[in-house]
Every structure is written in C-alpha cells, then in structure tokens.
Amino acid sequence: MNVNERRADGERWYELVLMAGLVIAATIVSVVLRPHIAATKLAMVYLLGVVAISTRCSRPISVLGSFLSVGAFDFFCVPPYLTLRVSDYGELITFAGMLAVALVISTQTARIRLQATDALDREARTSALYRLSHRLAAEPRLFDAATTAAEVAEELFHVPVTIFLPEDGKITFRRRTSDSLLIPTSEEAVAQWALDNRQKTGFGTASMKDATAMYLPLSGIKGAVGVMAVLYGTQGRTPTAEQQSFLDAFADHAGLAMERTLSQHAASETRVKMRTEELRSSLLSTVSHDLRTPLASITGAASTLRSQDEKLSPETRRELLDSISEEAERLGRLVRNLLDMTRLQSGVELRLELCPIEEIVGAALQRIDSQLTNRKLAIHLPESLPPVSVDDVLLGQVITNLVENAVKYTPSDTEIEIFAAAENDTLTLEVRDRGPGFKEGDEFRIFEKFYRGKSEGVRGAGLGLAICRAIVEAHHGTIQAFSRSGGGAIFRICLPLGPTE
C-alpha cells in the first residue's frame, strides 16, 4: 500500500468516526428531549446532524449517515422504543419523508462542498501557473528558466523534479537542472522517447511503467524544449488523476514559457549581431573615407613634388609640404582615436595620481599648439584648485579632443574658454565656445560613436567625443553638453576629487 492509499484510508476512517459521533450526538439530544417534544419534531435534530455530516464528509459517508439517522430515529424516538417495529404504520410515511430529505440534503451538500473544493483547486492551480509565468519571465536564459520551473514544480508537488535540456535534439542527463542525479542513466532512452513523441511516459503512465520517474515533455508551439522528470517512484507515491491533470497543465505552461525565453534569447542575439554589423559597416564606411582622403592628399602632393620639383616655386613647394604634414597629422589622429576606442572598450587600467589640473590642461594644449595659432583662448583656472586623482594622460586626451572639437566647429575669430572650479568634493571642468551650438537632440547624440555634427566642411570619424565619454566614465565622472546662452556650446566634465577606486 503506497502513501496515497494510506492517506485515503486514514481520511475514510476519520469520516466514519465523525459520522458515527454526530449520529450518536443527535440521538442523545433526541432521547433527552423525547419526553417533551413530539417524535416528528425530533426528526429535525437528526436532519441537523445529516447537514453537519454532509459538510464534513464525502458523499458515500453522508448517504450512510442519512440511513443511520433514520434508523436511530426509529429505534430511539418512535414507540415502541428500542425496536425497529412501529405501532402506527403512518410513521412509515414520516420515515420515508425523513429519508428522502436526508438523502437530498446529504447529496446536495456534498455536491456543493465538492464544487467549492474544485473551485479552490482551480484557483490554486491558476495562481501557481501565474507564479510560474511571472518567475520565468524574469529569466533571460533557457537553463535558468528550466531551473526555476523545476524549483516551482517541487514546491507544488512535493516531490523531486529534474528538467533535462536537449543538445542538438538529443537528451543527455549531463545537462540537467539538479546537482544530483537520482535516476539511472539507462533511462535516457525513456526521456528521449518522451521528447521525440511529445507524450508523457514512465512511472504512473500506460507506457514504460517500470521507469523510476514520470517523464513529461515540455512542449511549445514549435516543438519540445525539454523533458521534466517527476520522481514519484523514488518516493513510493502514485500521482492521483487530479495530480496527473495538474502535471500536464504545468508541463504545457512551462514548455511555452521556456520556448518564449529561448525565442527572446535568439532575438536578442540577432539584435546584437545586427548592431555589430551596423557598427562594422559604419566603421568601415567612415574609416575608408577618412583614411582615403588624407592618403589621397599626401599621395598627390608627394607625386607633384617628385615629378615637378624643379618647376615648382619655393612657395608652392612649401604649401605642398605643409599639406603633407597636416594630412599626416590628421591621419595619425584618426588612427590614434581608433586605437584609443578599441583599448577603452576592452577595458583600460587607470594609472591614478594626484595631479594639478593646470598642468594637465597645459600639457593638453601644448599637443595641439599648431591648431591654436591665431585662435583666441581664455583659461580660467583658480589657484585654489586642489589636485585631482586621475590618469593625467587620459584626462589630457579628453581636453585635447574637446578643444580640437571647438576649433573645428567654431569660426576662427571667436574665443574658446577653459574654465574649472571645485565644489562639494567635485571638480568641474568646462570647455566653452561661441560656435553654432547644437541642434535639438544633438546634445545627447554627439557622444555616440561615429556620430558627427551637421556643420559644413567639418571632417572626422566621429570618435573624439565618444572617447571623451569613455575616459570620463572610467574615472567615475560625467560629461555633458549644453547649448550656450547667446550662441555656442558648453562641454562640462564633473570628476570626484576623492579616490576613484
């Protein structure tokens, strides 16, 4: 006898004892009231007992209680007492009516109680399936979703559950949700059969009954995504028909949710691949154009010098050499930006040191001294500024890129300002200009890779500001862009004055 049968026998004996106790209690009350109340009115006491029995016991026990109540009423409450004989045959009509009412009460009350129990069971199942969907929706990976489904199943069915995921359509017990394997590996074929045929099999089913576990396919719309093994066999339990039905519903729900997780993961990978291809195409397009232009200029100038050197005037020769030098510098900046962006995306280790901000600004401006010729430059760096813990080379690169950006996008007769201030453990550094400013929405997009402003005649790969943001964020700081009142742009960098690691 298994656990379920023992539990059913225990409940049956409990209902029998309860029914007998209520019939005895109704009899005692009726015997006490017998000298004072007519026998037909005492039948109401037994009917109350039948109602009490029906609300607590199953239908067969309730029907049995109805017959026993009528018999006890005849035996103890209808003269002659303590015998089933009656002195007035009219009492038989009373017995028949009492029995009919008792049977109706017992059967209807039992039916209502069963319907209420079924409604509670359906509500519990719906709630359990909702919890399953809610928890699986938060899992981005198939294996995590399978592990969660197995955990929920164990909570609901109080039995060990393991979910196996296929590899190239084949079930292997190596890819499972539980650390320990309570099933012999010889049952891989049973699990494979459930996956291939999308039918449950194993313990407690019509096929392969000798298996240790019951195997249920977790099927979605497109096919089975796994197999759930419910280890009733190791517990000495057999699932009831109600549990079987709930298991089937749970497996279907879990299969659909896991298939959705798998589809979302595949869609996410597709989006990443598409984004990668877009970036690769953008990079190739941008780099090919920006590399080709300076190379063509250098090649053309060099060819002219080589083929017509003696015919060229000193002034023309100097212009060609200047063109070669400028384009070579531009080419070097482009390659440097590409290498810097690759290094930053791969993760860069900051070499933090306490450095005066004025030294960093001075070194950055010295690197682009040739570009600042004939440009108005105003520097506002208070002497009271504390040193900041930064990688001075990388922060200098940020300042260089921002000033170069201002030079490219502003008229040559306008002023470029560099301003710094310290307040509340934060260093604020701003690069201001009086150029065209930003179009609406550009304040946020300009820090994206390969995005370039719409100004005419401005060349570049659109990496300088993206590099600035990557460097500043590596220092746990922020960088923002604003349109300046009266025209122009402001780039604001905020860096913590304390240690960043």
Side-chain angles (χ1 to χ4, degrees), residues 336-337 340-341 343-344 348 350 357 360-365 367-368 390-407 416-418 427-432 447 463-480 491-495:
R336 185 171 62 252
N337 282 341
D340 286 345
M341 180 55 68
R343 186 163 63 98
L344 289 168
V348 61
L350 301 179
I357 193 65
I360 300 175
V361 172
L365 296 178
R367 285 202 293 266
I368 55 172
V390 294
D391 187 316
D392 59 333
V393 175
L394 291 179
L395 185 58
Q397 181 66 42
V398 172
I399 297 171
T400 298
N401 288 357
L402 293 179
V403 175
E404 281 185 329
N405 189 75
V407 170
I416 300 174
E417 299 178 49
I418 300 177
L427 175 72
T428 301
L429 181 65
E430 294 182 354
V431 176
R432 308 166 178 171
F447 294 106
L463 288 173
L465 295 180
I467 291 173
C468 291
R469 182 175 66 176
I471 293 174
V472 172
E473 290 179 351
H475 284 83
H476 305 283
T478 59
I479 183 170
Q480 296 172 292
F491 287 91
R492 180 178 298 159
I493 300 170
C494 294
L495 295 171

Side-chain angles (χ1 to χ4, degrees), residues 83 154 178 193 227 271 295 358 487:
T83 177
E154 289 184 348
S178 61
W193 188 92
V227 174
R271 286 193 297 270
L295 285 174
E358 55 268 19

